[in-house]
Amino acid sequence: DRGVICTLDNPVYLTCVEGKTAHCLDRSARPCTITFNPTEYHFKLVLLRNNYDKMLHIIRTSTLLGQSIIAYLQQKGFLEV
């Protein structure tokens, strides 16, 4: 799957992701870090790995919108969830 993690004012070049932090280089090759909410990509990863217990935990404890989760599950063919 692919998508936007967050929108930025200036382009950066991703070098590494650790937890909630993305390490990048700006256009001048200066290192920078960006903190973001990893809930959505974590949800998609546990779904892809068929880890339904973790997926249900994320749904119950996160701020992901219910309708968007349902639509994503239907779109990807996880109707049994």
Side-chain angles (χ1 to χ4, degrees):
D1 209 7
R2 61 185 181 274
V4 175
I5 295 175
C6 64
T7 304
L8 304 172
D9 294 331
N10 297 309
V12 294
Y13 304 97
L14 186 64
T15 58
C16 177
V17 175
E18 296 176 316
K20 298 179 181 183
T21 304
H23 300 276
C24 313
L25 295 174
D26 65 12
R27 285 200 168 178
S28 300
R30 288 185 300 243
C32 60
T33 58
I34 300 168
T35 303
F36 62 95
N37 183 346
T39 305
E40 184 177 343
Y41 88 78
H42 188 243
F43 171 76
K44 291 177 179 180
L45 182 62
V46 298
L47 184 63
L48 182 67
R49 292 181 177 169
N50 295 322
N51 191 335
Y52 296 117
D53 291 335
K54 280 189 178 183
M55 181 196 61
L56 290 173
H57 176 73
I58 292 171
I59 290 172
R60 291 181 183 135
T61 60
S62 74
T63 58
L64 291 175
L65 298 176
Q67 290 298 323
S68 64
I69 291 174
I70 293 169
Y72 180 80
L73 291 171
Q74 290 174 341
Q75 177 187 10
K76 296 298 179 181
F78 290 96
L79 302 176
E80 71 278 3
V81 178

